[in-house]
Amino acid sequence: MCVTVAAQASRPGGRSAYLRSPMGLGRAAVALLGVVIAADLYSLWAGTVIQGAMEDLRISRDTVGWYGSDLVREAERADTLYGVSGWLQTAALVATCVVFLCWFHRVRVNAEVFEPYLQTKTRGWTVGSWFVPVVNLWFPRRIAIDIWDASGPRSVALDRTMTLSGPAGRPSHPLVNAWWTLWLATLFVGRWATTAYWDAEEVDEVDAAVSKLMFSDALDIVAAVLAVLFVRRLTRMQDAKARAGAPMPGLDGESA
């Protein structure tokens, strides 16, 4: 790959694209995904605390027919703790989303340098697609696959532009698909569980709702782990492809 093509590329009628190192943003995204996992683990622990408090209230109700003041205060403290865990999760998610989208845009522009004709969505969708209802269910995955194929070996990228006689040889994307499936599952399960928690009034309802939220947290941990693998793998792929041609600015001495 000649130096000029490795450093800059553009599609007819489109904006120029320049290679820039995704390494720093990739490491930051991975670190913040780790914070998301930590916040989820804290929430799981807080969930066990509030479930313990609900169990004490249930025993008191079933044995003496009323709730003791000490048990009520314990339940209120557990609820406050669980609320704090929710705020921590939200803060971690927002910070991670900002950095992840910056990284996602960076690797998308780099992919346009590598293989501009493999990009089926315009550059503006790289960030915007995450916020458009319905579209956000599949556009980001499509963009991720386009970036992945463009960042891989040339033979893999060509599979997207050649007519094949059968399924053999077509690029597969198990990591992207697994990450995206878990991400969608987390969104839907999280919304369902949160609604159940806010609607819960009785002890049994709260306990059941917390179980749903804990299931959502567990899904989110798995999705975050897959996101870490996705970010690291794609960042390394772009690093390797850039090094195979012209050096990418800022890559000297860096590794994912």
Side-chain angles (χ1 to χ4, degrees), residues 134-243:
V134 181
V135 164
N136 58 9
L137 298 180
W138 79 89
F139 266 38
R141 174 189 170 274
R142 178 73 266 167
I143 294 168
I145 287 176
D146 290 343
I147 297 171
W148 188 278
D149 288 348
S151 303
R154 178 68 183 180
S155 57
V156 173
L158 284 175
D159 283 338
R160 291 277 305 282
T161 58
M162 296 174 63
T163 301
L164 302 173
S165 58
R170 291 181 181 177
S172 60
H173 310 89
L175 180 55
V176 176
N177 289 332
W179 159 63
W180 189 248
T181 299
L182 265 295
W183 166 249
L184 291 182
T186 298
L187 289 180
F188 289 115
V189 173
R191 182 172 300 179
W192 163 66
T194 301
T195 300
Y197 183 75
W198 285 113
D199 291 342
E201 295 180 0
E202 300 298 329
V203 169
D204 294 333
E205 293 174 343
V206 172
D207 188 51
V210 170
S211 294
K212 295 173 183 175
L213 283 170
M214 293 175 71
F215 176 62
S216 175
D217 291 338
L219 281 179
D220 196 53
I221 289 172
V222 178
V225 170
L226 291 174
V228 167
L229 296 177
F230 168 65
V231 171
R232 286 176 59 86
R233 178 72 181 279
L234 184 53
T235 300
R236 286 174 172 175
M237 286 167 61
Q238 290 206 342
D239 180 19
K241 190 154 188 169
R243 288 180 185 277

Side-chain angles (χ1 to χ4, degrees), residues 27 59 99 182 233:
R27 282 196 293 267
I59 292 173
V99 175
L182 265 295
R233 178 72 181 279

